[in-house]
Amino acid sequence: MSAIAGTRARLVWAVNLAALALVLLWTIPTFGLLVSSFRDRDQIANSGWWRAGMSSEASNFVRAGTAADQVQEGDLWVIAGNVLTEGQSLSAWGTNSRDPAAYAPGDTAELKDGQALSVAEDGSYRLTSPTEFTDQRGMRIFLTTTAPPKFTTENYARVIGAEGLGQAFLNTFTVTIPATIIPILIAAFAAYALAWMEFPGRALLIAGVVGLLVVPLQLALIPLLKFHNEIGLGKGYMGIWLAHTGFGLPLAIYLLRNYMVGLPREIIESARVDGATEFQIFRRIILPLSFPALASFAIFQFLWVWNDLLVATVFLGNRKEQLVMTGVLRELLGSRGGDWEILAASAFISIAVPLIVFFAMQKYLVRGLLAGSVKGG
């Protein structure tokens, strides 16, 4: 007995450690994304989120003034300015990309044609020439700068103040709520029939549902859109509701059927003996007992539809009044998708509602995922 108890204790420790590892695996990147959402573009480009509390060193270049900015001082023509932004300090500077840190602050570099460039510690530069400048594009000054840690809420302000975000928020709710409720209603009837009603071909239908779980939805996008156009649905809310319903039904039927088939058979048989119809059994017995599975699928479907961009783009459209939240946030990232600070901030704004839904229904999630693992005697 002591050996069995020791084995069980080790197993419990192994399970707890595995759970802790999984929590850390998801928590650390999420925390990093949260930190990045409060940093600006330069900080994100120059250092990782784990260095957010440290001073960061960066190398870049700025352009000096042009011929239009020159002034004459005695026998010299002078272009002056400052190469630093607020909060930066100068570590080194240079005049070409091959040696971008050739000079210390305060040094003077001798250039061609008698020109000279000096950059002071405060970032002020002075470019002099014995002859008049003719360049219409200022020369590049390469800098190595140090900036203190800085956090900002400008990323969130930019996302929240984005044009059309309020309408997109309403559009997302308009898509998500029906696209969550409709498949649950249909799947509940189908799952009850596959679990407790005897009819020819039931096994084939169950196998077909399982097979559809592995079919990528991308294969059906274009054929389904063509079908919608042929029957007159086109692009609109009805079309996207039906699309999400079709894509979500296999998982919904699978989860609910596994849960319903594990319910105590005695309860259902007793109801039938008492004269209850199939619909009465379904409505008064099966649905109340299956609420954990219904809530579990509702969480999955809500999260999937809320975060969806592909299906919304295909079946709803890209006009500003049609965009969902993910569509508006995509526009904020720019044509090259390089605004990582916006991506980080928008991620936390977009997950606010799904988090509320998840925490409100999380107590049913595990019970729903364990559907069918234990059957009533």
Side-chain angles (χ1 to χ4, degrees):
M1 293 298 293
S2 59
I4 296 176
T7 302
R8 289 180 177 177
R10 288 191 293 270
L11 181 61
V12 170
W13 272 104
V15 171
N16 290 337
L17 289 176
L20 178 61
L22 289 174
V23 170
L24 292 176
L25 184 66
W26 286 104
T27 301
I28 292 176
T30 303
F31 179 74
L33 190 66
L34 177 62
V35 173
S36 297
S37 69
F38 290 100
R39 307 178 77 200
D40 59 28
R41 173 187 286 188
D42 293 338
Q43 290 176 315
I44 292 177
N46 294 325
S47 63
W49 62 267
W50 54 90
R51 296 182 58 87
M54 309 177 189
S55 297
S56 59
E57 188 175 80
S59 297
N60 56 5
F61 72 87
V62 298
R63 289 194 177 273
T66 64
D69 302 312
Q70 65 185 325
V71 295
Q72 189 173 12
E73 297 180 1
D75 296 334
L76 295 177
W77 293 88
V78 179
I79 298 176
N82 197 293
V83 295
L84 298 181
T85 59
E86 183 181 358
Q88 289 183 331
S89 60
L90 184 64
S91 300
W93 63 277
T95 59
N96 61 74
S97 58
R98 294 186 300 276
D99 196 358
Y103 304 96
D107 290 348
T108 299
E110 299 295 334
L111 308 177
K112 63 180 182 178
D113 301 328
Q115 296 179 357
L117 173 65
S118 63
V119 182
E121 188 173 359
D122 63 358
S124 59
Y125 70 87
R126 182 179 172 86
L127 179 62
T128 63
S129 174
T131 59
E132 189 173 355
F133 291 100
T134 57
D135 295 337
Q136 299 302 312
R137 191 178 188 187
M139 71 170 291
R140 293 189 297 178
I141 304 175
F142 292 85
L143 309 171
T144 300
T145 59
T146 303
K150 177 185 176 182
F151 297 96
T152 177
T153 58
E154 292 180 2
N155 301 332
Y156 286 94
R158 181 177 170 186
V159 174
I160 294 174
E163 181 182 359
L165 185 65
Q167 180 62 46
F169 189 79
L170 295 177
N171 291 346
T172 305
F173 265 113
T174 305
V175 171
T176 303
I177 293 176
T180 301
I181 295 175
I182 295 173
I184 289 178
L185 293 177
I186 298 175
F189 285 99
Y192 174 72
L194 294 175
W196 292 106
M197 297 178 68
E198 299 289 342
F199 56 89
R202 187 179 71 163
L204 291 177
L205 287 177
I206 296 174
V209 169
V210 175
L212 287 174
L213 290 173
V214 300
V215 177
L217 66 88
Q218 290 84 353
L219 293 177
L221 289 177
I222 301 305
L224 187 58
L225 180 61
K226 289 183 177 179
F227 176 71
H228 283 187
N229 290 332
E230 290 175 359
I231 64 177
L233 278 179
K235 290 188 175 184
Y237 287 117
M238 181 59 69
I240 194 172
W241 292 341
L242 295 179
H244 277 302
T245 297
F247 297 142
L249 274 177
L251 178 61
I253 296 173
Y254 179 77
L255 279 178
L256 295 178
R257 187 261 173 189
N258 279 358
Y259 192 91
M260 291 179 183
V261 80
L263 296 176
R265 178 179 296 273
E266 292 81 357
I267 299 177
I268 298 173
E269 291 179 348
S270 298
R272 285 174 176 163
V273 170
D274 291 338
T277 63
E278 295 291 346
F279 182 73
Q280 289 174 330
I281 295 174
F282 171 75
R283 182 170 62 88
R284 297 183 179 180
I285 299 176
I286 299 298
L287 281 184
L289 293 176
S290 301
F291 187 78
L294 295 171
S296 177
F297 172 75
I299 292 174
F300 283 120
Q301 183 72 355
F302 188 94
L303 295 178
W304 156 248
V305 179
W306 184 271
N307 293 315
D308 169 70
L309 175 60
L310 178 61
V311 177
T313 301
V314 173
F315 291 95
L316 197 58
N318 279 318
R319 295 200 304 270
K320 286 187 176 181
E321 64 274 12
Q322 295 175 320
L323 289 177
V324 293
M325 280 190 64
T326 50
V328 173
L329 298 178
R330 174 196 60 191
E331 300 295 328
L332 288 176
L333 295 179
S335 59
R336 298 182 180 179
D339 296 334
W340 295 106
E341 71 283 2
I342 298 301
L343 178 62
S346 61
F348 277 90
I349 290 177
S350 64
I351 66 174
V353 173
L355 280 178
I356 294 173
V357 173
F358 177 81
F359 285 116
M361 306 179 72
Q362 65 173 333
K363 62 182 179 180
Y364 303 107
L365 181 60
V366 175
R367 292 168 60 188
L369 291 178
L370 294 177
S373 60
V374 179
K375 295 186 179 182

